[in-house]
């Protein structure tokens, strides 16, 4: 009969939420003793036998500490927040995965607050403000702000209330630390690969010329060519504005500008994979082969494109997972009061070899 009573008591306390008082009653100790054991008070004079009894009661009743109360008492929540646009976008997912894996290694957890993008200019400011406020209400120890494309941003003023690190973007006001891809180095590695394959005359299908990715990648391409004693022909640089249709049109312009003989490039460097997909169509329409007649290198490593084009696309990868992980490492340093390496940290963009060069 006693067992039945205890079982009913356990079921009842689970339904209404188990408290420290329930644990104390079950273990036959004071609530203070339970509090000391659960908070790992080292200076508490509690025997090992009592500690074991309290822990057994915790397991039997299914007690869970009140995270909010614990955060208030310790001023630490073990939570980081992450604000990002369009959480279902492949790039955002990769940033979140990198951050989440690193946070788990540090015994921290992520609260994800989406900030849906309103248009090509940037996110919905009202949603961003609300996302930061909600995270701060949960007493997060710090916040990661992640963008889906590399650009300068203005973050809500509330970002200054806790350590905040920007990922794949930088603070237009120059106040917050950021983690961004090394666009220039990525442009260099792409051109160096084409040079290694014997190409000396190359076309470039550019993004919107004013955005950081375009500026950095094109600068890196020019540097690699200059080191080889070559120059980039301005007639062979055409903007495709980040779309497959734009890449197709730009490739048509480059390929049709010269006859089959002297002048036509033997390689195309496309500054993203969507434009490379369009370039493939333009090349094949002209009866040319890849990489036999024209080699192609992309940028971004959008796997749904790069891995499924035929031939598979050699491309420079944006290091989203690594940036997410480095963002958490930087946030951990800030919350611990440690100095960080630099206000802006550059992350290498590795070349992924496939079959298009």
């Amino acid at each position: 009969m006693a067992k039945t009573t205890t079982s009913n008591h356990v079921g009842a306390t689970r339904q209404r939420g188990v408290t420290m008082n329930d644990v104390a009653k079950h273990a036959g100790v004071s609530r203070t003793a339970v509090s000391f054991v659960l908070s790992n008070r080292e200076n508490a004079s509690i025997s090992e036998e009592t500690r074991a009894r309290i822990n057994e009661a915790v397991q039997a009743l299914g007690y869970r500490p009140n995270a909010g109360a614990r955060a208030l008492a310790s001023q630490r929540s073990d939570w980081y927040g992450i604000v990002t646009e369009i959480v279902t976008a492949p790039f955002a997912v990769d940033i979140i995965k990198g951050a989440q894996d690193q946070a788990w290694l540090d015994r921290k957890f992520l609260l994800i607050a989406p900030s849906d993008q309103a248009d090509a200019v940037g996110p919905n400011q009202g949603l961003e403000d609300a996302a930061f406020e909600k995270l701060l209400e949960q007493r997060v120890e710090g916040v990661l702000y992640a963008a889906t494309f590399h650009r300068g941003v203005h973050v809500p003023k509330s970002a200054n209330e806790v350590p905040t690190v920007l990922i794949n973007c930088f603070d237009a006001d120059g106040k917050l630390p950021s983690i961004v891809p090394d666009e220039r180095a990525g442009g260099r590695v792409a051109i160096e690969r084409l040079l290694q394959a014997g190409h000396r005359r190359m076309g470039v299908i550019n993004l919107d010329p004013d955005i950081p990715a375009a500026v950095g990648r094109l600068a890196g391409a020019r540097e690699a060519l200059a080191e080889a004693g070559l120059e980039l022909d301005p007639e062979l640089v055409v903007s495709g504005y980040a779309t497959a249709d734009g890449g197709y049109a730009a490739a048509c312009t480059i390929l049709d500008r010269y006859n089959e003989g002297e002048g036509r490039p033997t390689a195309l460097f496309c500054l993203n994979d969507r434009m490379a997909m369009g370039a493939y169509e333009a090349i094949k329409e002209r009866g040319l082969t890849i990489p036999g007649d024209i080699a192609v290198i992309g940028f971004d490593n959008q796997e749904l494109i790069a891995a499924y084009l035929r031939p598979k696309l050699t491309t420079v990868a944006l290091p989203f997972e690594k940036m997410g992980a480095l963002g958490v490492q930087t946030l951990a340093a800030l919350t611990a009061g440690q100095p960080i390496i630099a206000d802006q940290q550059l992350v290498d963009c590795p070349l992924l070899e496939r079959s298009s060069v």
Side-chain angles (χ1 to χ4, degrees), residues 80-87 91-93 95-96 99 110-117 123-136 140 142-149 151 153-156 158-159 162-169 331:
Y80 292 146
I82 181 167
V83 176
T84 186
E85 311 149 0
I86 318 179
V87 294
F91 295 163
V93 169
I95 289 173
I96 291 169
L110 286 185
L111 284 174
I112 301 169
S115 174
D116 289 342
Q117 200 170 17
N124 183 310
Q125 192 62 53
L127 283 177
E128 266 195 0
D129 292 340
F132 267 92
E133 288 299 327
K134 279 295 181 184
L135 291 175
L136 293 176
V140 294
V143 175
L144 301 172
Y145 177 98
T148 52
F149 68 94
R151 66 184 190 274
V153 298
H154 295 279
V155 298
S158 54
V162 292
T164 298
V165 178
L166 309 186
I167 301 176
N168 201 38
C169 56
L331 201 56

Side-chain angles (χ1 to χ4, degrees), residues 241-252:
Y241 297 98
T243 68
D245 286 343
Y248 170 82
C252 289

Side-chain angles (χ1 to χ4, degrees), residues 45-330:
S45 300
I46 298 175
S47 69
E48 289 302 317
E49 185 274 334
T50 300
R51 287 178 185 273
R53 204 160 68 244
I54 290 171
N55 287 325
E56 287 172 5
V58 166
Q59 292 296 320
L61 298 177
Y63 173 77
R64 291 187 180 91
N66 185 316
R70 187 168 57 184
L72 278 171
S74 66
Q75 296 300 304
R76 297 183 66 86
S77 66
D78 292 332
W79 287 96
Y80 292 146
I82 181 167
V83 176
T84 186
E85 311 149 0
I86 318 179
V87 294
T88 56
F91 295 163
V93 169
D94 290 341
I95 289 173
I96 291 169
K97 182 180 186 306
Q100 191 164 272
D101 288 349
Q102 182 62 47
W104 178 250
L105 290 175
D106 297 341
R107 294 296 184 264
K108 301 289 185 180
F109 303 90
L110 286 185
L111 284 174
I112 301 169
S115 174
D116 289 342
Q117 200 170 17
D119 51 41
V121 175
N124 183 310
Q125 192 62 53
L127 283 177
E128 266 195 0
D129 292 340
F132 267 92
E133 288 299 327
K134 279 295 181 184
L135 291 175
L136 293 176
E137 286 176 10
Q138 301 305 313
R139 297 185 176 272
V140 294
E141 295 181 27
V143 175
L144 301 172
Y145 177 98
T148 52
F149 68 94
H150 185 181
R151 66 184 190 274
V153 298
H154 295 279
V155 298
K157 291 181 180 179
S158 54
N160 296 308
E161 296 182 25
V162 292
T164 298
V165 178
L166 309 186
I167 301 176
N168 201 38
C169 56
F170 56 91
D171 184 7
D173 299 321
K175 297 178 181 178
L176 299 173
S178 61
I179 316 292
V180 296
D182 193 339
E183 309 281 12
R184 185 184 295 257
R188 285 177 60 91
V189 75
I191 295 302
E192 286 168 355
R193 178 64 185 92
L194 293 175
L195 290 168
Q196 181 187 12
H199 299 283
R200 292 298 179 268
R201 186 161 173 80
M202 307 165 200
V204 174
I205 300 181
N206 201 7
L207 300 160
D208 181 330
D210 297 324
I211 65 175
V215 172
R217 294 172 195 181
L218 195 56
R222 287 196 169 105
E223 286 176 2
L225 287 169
E227 287 184 7
L230 302 170
E231 291 185 1
L232 185 61
D233 184 345
E235 293 291 314
L236 294 179
V237 180
V238 180
S239 291
Y241 297 98
T243 68
D245 286 343
Y248 170 82
C252 289
T253 298
I254 291 171
L255 296 174
D256 294 344
R257 185 163 280 161
Y258 300 93
N259 292 324
E260 188 172 331
E262 185 178 353
R264 191 179 73 192
T266 61
L268 291 178
F269 174 30
C270 303
L271 270 61
N272 80 6
D273 293 346
R274 291 191 299 277
M275 296 189 302
M277 180 168 61
Y280 265 48
E281 292 303 311
I283 292 167
K284 292 176 180 179
E285 279 183 0
R286 284 153 181 77
L288 303 172
T289 62
I290 305 168
D293 296 309
I294 305 257
V296 181
I297 280 187
F299 208 113
D300 288 351
N301 190 37
Q302 285 192 267
E303 288 201 37
L304 289 176
I305 296 174
Y308 293 97
L309 287 173
R310 293 294 179 268
K312 295 180 180 181
L313 179 66
T314 294
T315 188
V316 179
L318 283 170
F320 289 108
E321 282 194 34
K322 190 171 182 179
M323 287 193 292
L326 187 54
V328 169
Q329 291 171 6
T330 304

Side-chain angles (χ1 to χ4, degrees), residues 6-17:
T6 302
S7 176
N8 287 341
H9 171 69
V10 170
T13 53
R14 276 182 176 156
Q15 285 181 358
R16 65 175 171 79

